[in-house]
Amino acid sequence: MTDGRCPVSHADLAPHRLDPTGARQHAVNEELRARGAAVPVLLPGDVPGYAITRHEELKDFVTHPDVAKNACHFAALQRDELPPGWPMRTFATVRGMITADGEDHKRLRSLVTRAFTPRRVEALRPVVHELTGTLLDRLAGAATADPDGVADLRRHFALPLPMSVICRLLGVDDQHQDRLHELSNEIVSTHTAPERVPDANREMVAILGQVAAARAKDPGDDLTSALIAAREEDGDRLAEEELIGTLMLTIIAGHETTLNLITNAVRALCNHRDQLDLVRSGAATWGDVVEETLRYDGPVSYFPFRYPTRDLPVGDRVIPKGVPVLVSYTAAGRDERAYGPDAGRFDVTRGARHLSFGHGAHFCLGAPLARMEAVIALEALFTRFPDLDLAVPDEELVPHPSFVGNSPQRLPIRLGAAHSA
């Protein structure tokens, strides 16, 4: 994982303090890539960490046998050195595939895979089409009701679509959807007040516990019921804590990432009308738009956590054993070493592979669903509203307050002359 240069230690490079508000993410990415493939950072609460910023080194790091996901390898956590209410604790301590290694990870992934089948995902296709049509009507209504003809695409379209789909998939009642999104936002945000972190986690666990209990009592054709029923050949099944952890991760990853993906794709197309014209002419597909958005402006930026189980050279640095490491998918997505000198240009004909769904054993199980939702949503949106455009200059868009997620808080748009069609 080295490039032949002499590794330097953590102390030889001043750490970069990550902004918990998520400001200037791509500019920060460029600065950090210039400093190396692995850069020391300060997490909220001045917790030392590292960030992996370059494409090839990221691929190597996440598949390295001496890199773990289980927080038993997180030295500061094990020494009880994290500040009270640390906003990133859930990423380390939640029980599920995302924090498991080796045979434990294989076991959990196998159980979830038995329930989260391609058939179950494909069965959601007509649901996604139906919800998309309904939400486009609501988006038009919101624009019509506004004196300036402006609607927030994120609030009225990009959010409710994946949230409704993931709740339908899990068998979660509509009454919980808004609150689960609010709690998910608090958990994902790196700017959440410390006193709110434990409460948000407890409330989400309580709601998902109610969902699990309801599905155990009255099983349906949903993923939660299937997860409860899923067993290995030896009779192994998800423990209660593992089930709740899996539901939490599915809720968060299943809607936050797709919400950001749709938002970022619309933003990119509005800012690159020539690329939208390529899709309309047949020179590119909506699938191409989704893949290039995932590379160019991915929905997840600095994703927590992995831990070296020994002092590990990465590029020209050595990451100390037990330090929490973030992998930056957005930084890797614009790495000129991987994508050439125009890596910062949005090009739907690029056809380049990306790492935004992860790589290796922890590759995102929900990738097919996210891709399906985004393709359906974007095609329907720009077919119905071909003149849709941003209602504010791009530089005025405010990022969601997190360096984990990557998307603006709002995406004000105008639907154009055809919005009542």
Side-chain angles (χ1 to χ4, degrees):
M1 296 178 66
T2 66
D3 57 10
R5 289 177 289 174
C6 180
V8 295
S9 70
H10 184 102
D12 294 327
L13 186 67
H16 171 85
R17 186 182 300 277
L18 288 172
D19 187 341
T21 69
R24 301 177 59 251
Q25 282 208 20
H26 288 295
V28 169
N29 290 343
E30 185 173 356
E31 294 165 8
L32 296 189
R33 275 196 311 271
R35 293 177 65 173
V39 181
V41 296
L42 285 178
L43 305 173
D46 287 345
V47 175
Y50 258 81
I52 309 297
T53 64
R54 296 180 185 171
H55 183 278
E56 287 304 316
E57 287 86 351
L58 193 156
K59 280 180 66 178
D60 290 344
F61 182 80
V62 299
T63 56
H64 197 283
D66 295 321
V67 173
K69 295 276 282 181
N70 193 306
C72 70
H73 300 283
F74 187 171
L77 175 66
Q78 298 306 316
R79 294 194 298 259
D80 197 26
E81 294 175 350
L82 299 179
W86 193 52
M88 304 192 76
R89 182 180 290 269
T90 300
F91 289 106
T93 59
V94 65
R95 288 284 301 277
M97 293 185 299
I98 196 174
T99 54
D101 296 310
E103 291 302 315
D104 191 33
H105 174 257
K106 289 180 182 177
R107 166 185 161 267
L108 290 169
R109 192 171 178 101
S110 174
L111 286 166
V112 175
T113 301
R114 285 170 183 264
F116 195 23
T117 62
R119 179 198 64 81
R120 192 177 298 279
V121 172
E122 187 58 30
L124 288 168
R125 186 176 295 275
V127 174
V128 175
H129 278 288
E130 179 186 353
L131 285 169
T132 298
T134 299
L135 292 171
L136 290 178
D137 289 340
R138 294 181 186 174
L139 183 64
T144 300
D146 185 83
D148 298 318
V150 175
D152 179 5
L153 182 126
R154 187 175 172 90
R155 174 187 174 190
H156 295 290
F157 184 68
L159 164 61
L161 177 60
M163 191 69 197
S164 297
V165 170
I166 205 67
C167 286
R168 186 82 62 94
L169 173 68
L170 292 174
V172 174
D173 293 338
D174 292 348
Q175 68 190 38
H176 295 308
Q177 290 190 22
D178 288 346
R179 188 56 182 155
L180 283 173
H181 171 66
E182 292 167 359
L183 294 169
S184 173
N185 256 315
E186 289 191 272
I187 291 169
V188 169
S189 176
T190 48
H191 197 52
T192 301
E195 62 271 16
R196 273 297 305 154
V197 175
D199 291 342
N201 277 280
R202 279 193 292 268
E203 186 176 349
M204 179 170 268
V205 167
I207 292 173
L208 295 177
Q210 294 174 27
V211 171
R215 297 286 72 79
K217 182 178 180 181
D218 183 21
D221 185 21
D222 56 77
L223 182 59
T224 302
S225 298
L227 287 170
I228 293 170
R231 293 176 182 268
E232 293 279 29
E233 292 179 2
D234 61 1
D236 186 31
R237 64 191 303 174
L238 291 172
E240 180 72 14
E241 189 179 2
E242 292 170 337
L243 173 64
I244 299 302
T246 298
L247 294 179
M248 179 184 291
L249 293 171
T250 305
I251 285 282
I252 294 173
H255 93 277
E256 291 278 356
T257 53
T258 308
L259 156 62
N260 291 351
L261 172 57
I262 294 171
T263 303
N264 294 358
V266 174
R267 178 184 187 177
L269 289 169
C270 288
N271 287 322
H272 302 84
R273 309 299 294 195
D274 60 321
Q275 300 300 299
L276 182 56
D277 290 341
L278 288 174
V279 180
R280 288 173 170 155
S281 71
T285 68
W286 291 108
D288 294 329
V289 172
V290 170
E291 299 307 313
E292 178 65 351
T293 302
L294 286 163
R295 181 203 69 83
Y296 169 81
D297 198 18
V300 177
S301 193
Y302 290 83
F303 190 75
F305 286 119
R306 285 173 167 84
Y307 318 95
T309 58
R310 63 175 175 86
D311 290 355
L312 190 66
V314 178
D316 62 355
R317 318 233 178 263
V318 173
I319 304 179
K321 174 183 176 180
V323 168
V325 179
L326 307 170
V327 290
S328 180
Y329 296 121
T330 52
R334 296 194 186 184
D335 184 359
E336 293 185 358
R337 296 161 188 80
Y339 299 107
D342 69 341
R345 182 169 64 88
F346 183 68
D347 178 5
V348 297
T349 67
R350 186 183 300 272
R353 296 178 65 84
H354 58 79
L355 301 173
S356 289
F357 285 126
H359 180 67
H362 287 272
F363 184 83
C364 178
L365 276 177
L369 178 58
R371 284 176 162 127
M372 179 179 73
E373 289 181 71
V375 166
I376 291 172
L378 293 170
E379 181 173 15
L381 177 69
F382 282 98
T383 297
R384 179 158 174 184
F385 307 119
D387 300 322
L388 181 150
D389 208 349
L390 298 182
V392 298
D394 185 79
E395 59 271 17
E396 293 184 12
L397 297 175
V398 177
H400 183 72
S402 174
F403 56 72
V404 175
N406 172 48
S407 197
Q409 289 188 47
R410 299 177 63 248
L411 194 71
I413 50 94
R414 288 190 176 88
L415 299 177
H419 83 270
S420 61

